[in-house]
Amino acid sequence: MLIDFVPDENLYPFESRWFDSSAGRVHYIDEGTGPTILFCHGAPAWSFLYRHIVKDLRDRYRCVAVDYLGFGLSERPAGFGYTIAEHTAVLGELIDHLRLDDFVLMGHDWGGPIGLGAVTTRADRVRGIVLGNTVFWPIEAMANRAFSVIMGSRPMQRRILERNFLVERVLLAELGRKLTAAEADHYRAVQPTAEARRGLAVMPGQIRAARPLLDRLSRDVPAQLGDKRALLVWGMQDMVFRPHTSIPRMRAAFTDLEIVELPRARHFIQEHTPDAITAAIAKRFP
């Protein structure tokens, strides 16, 4: 299944590009020239989340932003399981296809473990790491595990599939007036039907099901990437990835870490404070 939505070029002024991975057709953008930054989104977002940052950085950097299979404009392939491990493998294929080298990875939400999982085995090609409101270890907090159980229940799975619950009641409920009606519709339009949302429905259950992968990352990230130049941009009002528990673990994993706190930002930091993130990246990775 392909998504036939065409973004408004005034909101998403980028050329769509495509990669035929082993699992399905992946949409991505590749803008600008200079040092490369690979942007990885979380759920239920897509590369549209990074539009302000890419527009501001593409005069100095090569900005690559991907849509995972099942998200954004990418294909919804038959037989794909939409697990974190599968997304990680496909992202690795894209990195190799584009021959990315000496690049910076930015990961947010599930984009953290997906991106980090792809680059721990390609660490010699990584220049630096940017992480925002994410984790790369098993998610133990009872509230998050309860969320996984509830979202995986039959009634909530039906709401995710039939009512686009994760877009409407998670992403858009948080961002409220920060988005115009047209911007909000760009998040809705790439998940137009229950069939298109199958990838969304899988993600909450991965909080528990992806534990083996997250457990491995908790060891591999410090071992393979811990000496890379790293930047943390953190929405301090995030009620999911709470700063007082997450930031100390980030600090322990990287020997060369700079932390930029975003005092008023909640989870979707790219919408709350894109200018602060852009400035932090440009300063950290000139």
Side-chain angles (χ1 to χ4, degrees):
M1 177 184 179
L2 295 175
I3 302 300
D4 60 6
F5 173 67
V6 178
D8 183 335
E9 63 181 11
N10 293 311
L11 297 178
Y12 190 78
F14 315 122
E15 178 184 351
S16 287
R17 300 174 187 269
W18 306 92
F19 165 58
D20 290 320
S21 77
S22 63
R25 197 177 192 214
V26 175
H27 174 263
Y28 68 98
I29 58 174
D30 190 340
E31 298 283 318
T33 58
T36 301
I37 307 175
L38 173 63
F39 296 98
C40 297
H41 66 82
W46 59 295
S47 56
F48 186 75
L49 182 70
Y50 285 105
R51 67 195 181 283
H52 299 304
I53 294 171
V54 171
K55 283 190 290 185
D56 285 348
L57 289 178
R58 64 180 172 179
D59 63 337
R60 292 162 282 172
Y61 299 86
R62 177 188 179 189
C63 299
V64 179
V66 62
D67 296 344
Y68 313 133
L69 293 173
F71 291 79
L73 302 179
S74 288
E75 187 179 2
R76 277 65 171 166
F80 190 69
Y82 301 105
T83 66
I84 301 306
E86 288 170 296
H87 289 308
T88 298
V90 171
L91 180 64
E93 292 181 21
L94 178 64
I95 291 170
D96 293 343
H97 170 72
L98 295 177
R99 300 180 181 178
L100 301 186
D101 196 17
D102 195 32
F103 68 96
V104 172
L105 170 79
M106 180 172 180
H108 171 260
D109 189 85
W110 277 119
I114 291 170
L116 291 168
V119 303
T120 49
T121 55
R122 300 167 174 83
D124 59 326
R125 293 158 61 183
V126 176
R127 178 188 179 199
I129 303 292
V130 182
L131 297 174
N133 296 72
T134 186
V135 297
F136 50 83
W137 52 81
I139 301 170
E140 304 289 1
M142 289 301 296
N144 292 340
R145 294 179 67 81
F147 174 83
S148 178
V149 172
I150 293 168
M151 289 298 112
S153 68
R154 186 173 298 176
M156 290 309 301
Q157 285 282 294
R158 189 160 54 246
R159 290 185 185 183
I160 292 169
L161 292 171
E162 296 178 2
R163 302 182 187 178
N164 209 7
F165 181 88
L166 293 178
V167 171
E168 297 289 348
R169 303 306 304 160
V170 176
L171 187 149
L172 297 181
E174 173 181 320
L175 294 175
R177 296 180 181 177
K178 286 193 172 292
L179 300 179
T180 66
E183 288 172 324
D185 284 342
H186 276 60
Y187 284 112
R188 295 185 178 103
V190 295
Q191 300 290 356
T193 65
E195 182 184 2
R197 299 170 194 147
R198 288 185 296 119
L200 287 184
V202 171
M203 296 303 262
Q206 288 293 293
I207 292 173
R208 292 173 298 149
R211 183 183 177 90
L213 181 148
L214 294 168
D215 187 58
R216 184 170 68 250
L217 283 180
S218 71
R219 300 186 299 272
D220 289 351
V221 169
Q224 304 299 326
L225 302 169
D227 61 348
K228 302 292 183 180
R229 188 183 305 181
L231 170 66
L232 201 63
V233 282
W234 208 269
M236 302 299 286
Q237 301 301 316
D238 192 339
M239 301 303 291
V240 178
F241 300 119
R242 296 176 182 268
H244 70 279
T245 56
S246 300
I247 292 177
R249 293 198 67 164
M250 298 284 184
R251 187 180 286 113
F254 297 99
T255 59
D256 184 9
L257 177 67
E258 181 175 311
I259 300 172
V260 175
E261 297 182 0
L262 308 170
R264 292 179 295 278
R266 296 174 65 186
H267 181 67
F268 295 100
I269 56 175
Q270 300 92 331
E271 295 285 8
H272 289 291
T273 56
D275 292 346
I277 297 169
T278 298
I281 291 173
K283 179 181 177 183
R284 187 66 168 142
F285 300 101

